PDB file of all heavy atoms in Angstrom:
ATOM      1  N   GLN A 152     158.753 161.310  40.606  1.00  0.00           N
ATOM      2  CA  GLN A 152     158.700 160.228  41.600  1.00  0.00           C
ATOM      3  C   GLN A 152     159.672 160.413  42.770  1.00  0.00           C
ATOM      4  O   GLN A 152     160.070 159.445  43.428  1.00  0.00           O
ATOM      5  CB  GLN A 152     158.933 158.858  40.930  1.00  0.00           C
ATOM      6  CG  GLN A 152     157.751 158.419  40.071  1.00  0.00           C
ATOM      7  CD  GLN A 152     156.559 157.935  40.908  1.00  0.00           C
ATOM      8  OE1 GLN A 152     156.649 156.937  41.602  1.00  0.00           O
ATOM      9  NE2 GLN A 152     155.447 158.672  40.847  1.00  0.00           N
ATOM     10  N   GLY A 154     158.849 162.040  45.436  1.00  0.00           N
ATOM     11  CA  GLY A 154     158.056 162.075  46.670  1.00  0.00           C
ATOM     12  C   GLY A 154     157.470 163.453  46.950  1.00  0.00           C
ATOM     13  O   GLY A 154     157.134 163.776  48.090  1.00  0.00           O
ATOM     14  N   LYS A 155     157.301 164.267  45.895  1.00  0.00           N
ATOM     15  CA  LYS A 155     156.822 165.647  46.057  1.00  0.00           C
ATOM     16  C   LYS A 155     155.387 165.713  46.596  1.00  0.00           C
ATOM     17  O   LYS A 155     155.114 166.416  47.566  1.00  0.00           O
ATOM     18  CB  LYS A 155     156.880 166.396  44.706  1.00  0.00           C
ATOM     19  CG  LYS A 155     158.261 166.500  44.107  1.00  0.00           C
ATOM     20  CD  LYS A 155     158.240 167.169  42.748  1.00  0.00           C
ATOM     21  CE  LYS A 155     157.464 166.406  41.681  1.00  0.00           C
ATOM     22  NZ  LYS A 155     157.912 165.023  41.445  1.00  0.00           N
ATOM     23  N   SER A 156     154.473 164.999  45.932  1.00  0.00           N
ATOM     24  CA  SER A 156     153.061 165.083  46.323  1.00  0.00           C
ATOM     25  C   SER A 156     152.868 164.524  47.729  1.00  0.00           C
ATOM     26  O   SER A 156     152.108 165.072  48.537  1.00  0.00           O
ATOM     27  CB  SER A 156     152.190 164.327  45.313  1.00  0.00           C
ATOM     28  OG  SER A 156     152.390 164.856  44.019  1.00  0.00           O
ATOM     29  N   SER A 157     153.581 163.452  48.007  1.00  0.00           N
ATOM     30  CA  SER A 157     153.508 162.831  49.320  1.00  0.00           C
ATOM     31  C   SER A 157     154.033 163.779  50.407  1.00  0.00           C
ATOM     32  O   SER A 157     153.410 163.934  51.466  1.00  0.00           O
ATOM     33  CB  SER A 157     154.386 161.580  49.236  1.00  0.00           C
ATOM     34  OG  SER A 157     154.245 160.783  50.304  1.00  0.00           O
ATOM     35  N   SER A 171     151.249 158.453  43.933  1.00  0.00           N
ATOM     36  CA  SER A 171     151.232 157.027  43.616  1.00  0.00           C
ATOM     37  C   SER A 171     152.564 156.585  43.035  1.00  0.00           C
ATOM     38  O   SER A 171     153.250 157.363  42.356  1.00  0.00           O
ATOM     39  CB  SER A 171     150.101 156.791  42.603  1.00  0.00           C
ATOM     40  OG  SER A 171     150.242 155.547  41.996  1.00  0.00           O
ATOM     41  N   VAL A 177     153.416 161.080  37.625  1.00  0.00           N
ATOM     42  CA  VAL A 177     152.005 161.046  38.007  1.00  0.00           C
ATOM     43  C   VAL A 177     151.380 162.450  37.932  1.00  0.00           C
ATOM     44  O   VAL A 177     150.372 162.663  37.277  1.00  0.00           O
ATOM     45  CB  VAL A 177     151.845 160.446  39.428  1.00  0.00           C
ATOM     46  CG1 VAL A 177     150.417 160.583  39.929  1.00  0.00           C
ATOM     47  CG2 VAL A 177     152.277 158.987  39.432  1.00  0.00           C
ATOM     48  N   THR A 178     151.996 163.409  38.574  1.00  0.00           N
ATOM     49  CA  THR A 178     151.441 164.774  38.604  1.00  0.00           C
ATOM     50  C   THR A 178     151.732 165.474  37.268  1.00  0.00           C
ATOM     51  O   THR A 178     152.881 165.466  36.805  1.00  0.00           O
ATOM     52  CB  THR A 178     152.065 165.575  39.773  1.00  0.00           C
ATOM     53  OG1 THR A 178     151.830 164.854  40.984  1.00  0.00           O
ATOM     54  CG2 THR A 178     151.495 166.969  39.885  1.00  0.00           C
ATOM     55  N   HIS A 282     162.080 159.647  51.772  1.00  0.00           N
ATOM     56  CA  HIS A 282     162.470 158.238  51.960  1.00  0.00           C
ATOM     57  C   HIS A 282     163.594 158.105  52.996  1.00  0.00           C
ATOM     58  O   HIS A 282     164.422 157.187  52.906  1.00  0.00           O
ATOM     59  CB  HIS A 282     162.924 157.603  50.633  1.00  0.00           C
ATOM     60  CG  HIS A 282     161.838 157.515  49.596  1.00  0.00           C
ATOM     61  ND1 HIS A 282     161.371 158.612  48.908  1.00  0.00           N
ATOM     62  CD2 HIS A 282     161.136 156.461  49.136  1.00  0.00           C
ATOM     63  CE1 HIS A 282     160.427 158.246  48.061  1.00  0.00           C
ATOM     64  NE2 HIS A 282     160.251 156.945  48.182  1.00  0.00           N
ATOM     65  N   GLU A 284     163.446 157.194  55.999  1.00  0.00           N
ATOM     66  CA  GLU A 284     163.343 155.983  56.849  1.00  0.00           C
ATOM     67  C   GLU A 284     164.117 154.816  56.233  1.00  0.00           C
ATOM     68  O   GLU A 284     164.540 153.905  56.945  1.00  0.00           O
ATOM     69  CB  GLU A 284     161.868 155.615  57.103  1.00  0.00           C
ATOM     70  CG  GLU A 284     161.110 154.983  55.948  1.00  0.00           C
ATOM     71  CD  GLU A 284     160.736 155.962  54.840  1.00  0.00           C
ATOM     72  OE1 GLU A 284     160.871 157.177  55.032  1.00  0.00           O
ATOM     73  OE2 GLU A 284     160.297 155.493  53.761  1.00  0.00           O
TER      74      GLU A 284
HETATM   75  N1  GTP B  64     158.727 154.816  51.836  1.00  0.00           N
HETATM   76  C1  GTP B  64     158.490 156.017  51.314  1.00  0.00           C
HETATM   77  N2  GTP B  64     157.725 156.120  50.229  1.00  0.00           N
HETATM   78  C2  GTP B  64     157.511 157.353  49.747  1.00  0.00           C
HETATM   79  C3  GTP B  64     158.069 158.524  50.331  1.00  0.00           C
HETATM   80  N3  GTP B  64     157.688 159.592  49.607  1.00  0.00           N
HETATM   81  C4  GTP B  64     156.923 159.105  48.603  1.00  0.00           C
HETATM   82  N4  GTP B  64     156.816 157.763  48.693  1.00  0.00           N
HETATM   83  C5  GTP B  64     156.087 156.885  47.767  1.00  0.00           C
HETATM   84  O1  GTP B  64     156.661 157.042  46.487  1.00  0.00           O
HETATM   85  C6  GTP B  64     155.637 157.035  45.483  1.00  0.00           C
HETATM   86  C7  GTP B  64     155.692 158.332  44.686  1.00  0.00           C
HETATM   87  O2  GTP B  64     155.410 159.392  45.562  1.00  0.00           O
HETATM   88  P1  GTP B  64     154.772 160.744  45.033  1.00  0.00           P
HETATM   89  O3  GTP B  64     154.595 161.614  46.224  1.00  0.00           O
HETATM   90  O4  GTP B  64     153.581 160.483  44.190  1.00  0.00           O
HETATM   91  O5  GTP B  64     155.972 161.272  44.144  1.00  0.00           O
HETATM   92  P2  GTP B  64     155.965 162.540  43.185  1.00  0.00           P
HETATM   93  O6  GTP B  64     157.304 163.154  43.243  1.00  0.00           O
HETATM   94  O7  GTP B  64     154.810 163.430  43.468  1.00  0.00           O
HETATM   95  O8  GTP B  64     155.772 161.808  41.788  1.00  0.00           O
HETATM   96  P3  GTP B  64     155.382 162.461  40.351  1.00  0.00           P
HETATM   97  O9  GTP B  64     154.173 163.309  40.545  1.00  0.00           O
HETATM   98  O10 GTP B  64     155.157 161.260  39.502  1.00  0.00           O
HETATM   99  O11 GTP B  64     156.586 163.248  39.928  1.00  0.00           O
HETATM  100  C8  GTP B  64     154.325 156.823  46.221  1.00  0.00           C
HETATM  101  O12 GTP B  64     154.012 155.463  46.217  1.00  0.00           O
HETATM  102  C9  GTP B  64     154.637 157.283  47.636  1.00  0.00           C
HETATM  103  O13 GTP B  64     153.843 156.633  48.607  1.00  0.00           O
HETATM  104  C10 GTP B  64     158.883 158.364  51.493  1.00  0.00           C
HETATM  105  O14 GTP B  64     159.429 159.316  52.061  1.00  0.00           O
HETATM  106  N5  GTP B  64     159.058 157.093  51.934  1.00  0.00           N
END
Side-chain angles (χ1 to χ4, degrees):
Q152 289 285 295
K155 300 177 297 303
S156 302
S157 190
S171 165
V177 172
T178 304
H282 296 73
E284 75 286 349

